């Protein structure tokens, strides 16, 4: 049942942010999009890496954390395995990677601006809503995690 809830959330939320909204923005931009082989096909790389990373994170939340990415049904246990060993927010990085890949693939400055907006909104949400909430939920375990794993960019200790 948890896996089904994760699937539904993934279709509704990241699917909207990285799928429906970019599609609508591209439709509204008026330019025809031709996917002919070119250097712009390099956009598939961040797009595919983002999808794989998101699925890995969603799986970790479901099977390790015993919850979903949805805030109303969040993991019961702090997930520190998989991509969460290297950064605290790989799921957001995954979604942003998909949008950046789409911006490159479709040569869209509008999508690049949207990616920037998504990045800023997500960062503010993480700093002012998510991290305080996780501090309350997981206490000292999360405090230790905060001090040992970077928020966005992995680095060697």
């Amino acid at each position: 049942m948890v896996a089904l809830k994760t699937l539904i959330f993934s279709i509704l939320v990241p699917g909207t942010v990285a799928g429906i909204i970019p599609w609508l923005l591209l439709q509204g931009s008026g330019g025809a999009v031709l996917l002919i082989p070119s250097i712009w096909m390099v956009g598939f790389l961040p797009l595919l890496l983002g999808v794989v990373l998101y699925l890995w994170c969603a799986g970790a939340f479901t099977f390790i954390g015993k919850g979903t990415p949805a805030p109303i049904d969040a993991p019961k246990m702090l997930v520190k395995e998989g991509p969460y060993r290297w950064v605290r927010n790989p799921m957001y990085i995954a979604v942003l990677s998909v949008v950046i890949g789409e911006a490159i693939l479709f040569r869209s400055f509008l999508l690049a601006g949207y990616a920037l907006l998504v990045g800023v909104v997500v960062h503010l949400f993480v700093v002012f809503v998510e991290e305080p909430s996780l501090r309350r939920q997981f206490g000292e375990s999360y405090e230790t995690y905060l001090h040992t794993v970077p928020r966005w960019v992995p680095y060697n200790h």
Side-chain angles (χ1 to χ4, degrees):
M1 188 53 129
V2 174
L4 178 61
K5 290 189 282 186
T6 295
L7 177 63
I8 292 167
F9 174 83
S10 297
I11 291 168
L12 292 176
V13 179
T16 297
V17 172
I20 294 172
I21 293 174
W23 180 78
L24 290 171
L25 290 172
L26 287 171
Q27 299 306 307
S29 66
V33 176
L34 300 175
L35 282 179
I36 55 174
S38 74
I39 191 68
W40 299 102
M41 297 301 274
V42 74
F44 272 119
L45 183 60
L47 192 152
L48 292 176
L49 289 174
V51 168
V52 169
L53 179 58
Y54 180 84
L55 293 173
W56 190 6
C57 294
F61 268 36
T62 302
F63 300 109
I64 297 169
K66 307 297 182 206
T68 73
I72 60 170
D73 193 21
K76 315 293 184 261
M77 299 169 42
L78 181 61
V79 177
K80 299 186 281 187
E81 287 90 25
Y84 292 91
R85 289 178 294 196
W86 304 299
V87 290
R88 296 192 309 260
N89 300 290
M91 196 173 294
Y92 294 127
I93 292 169
V95 172
L96 190 57
S97 179
V98 169
V99 177
I100 290 168
E102 293 167 337
I104 294 168
L105 185 63
F106 297 115
R107 297 173 270 181
S108 173
F109 287 113
L110 184 59
L111 285 186
Y114 172 66
L116 181 62
L117 176 66
V118 167
V120 168
V121 169
V122 164
H123 178 74
L124 294 173
F125 176 77
V126 164
V127 170
F128 294 111
V129 177
E130 192 169 81
E131 288 178 354
S133 172
L134 292 171
R135 276 187 173 103
R136 287 189 298 278
Q137 182 180 358
F138 295 112
E140 187 59 39
S141 174
Y142 188 69
E143 283 296 328
T144 301
Y145 184 62
L146 280 174
H147 296 294
T148 56
V149 177
R151 185 182 288 138
W152 300 116
V153 180
Y155 59 84
N156 290 329
H157 300 296

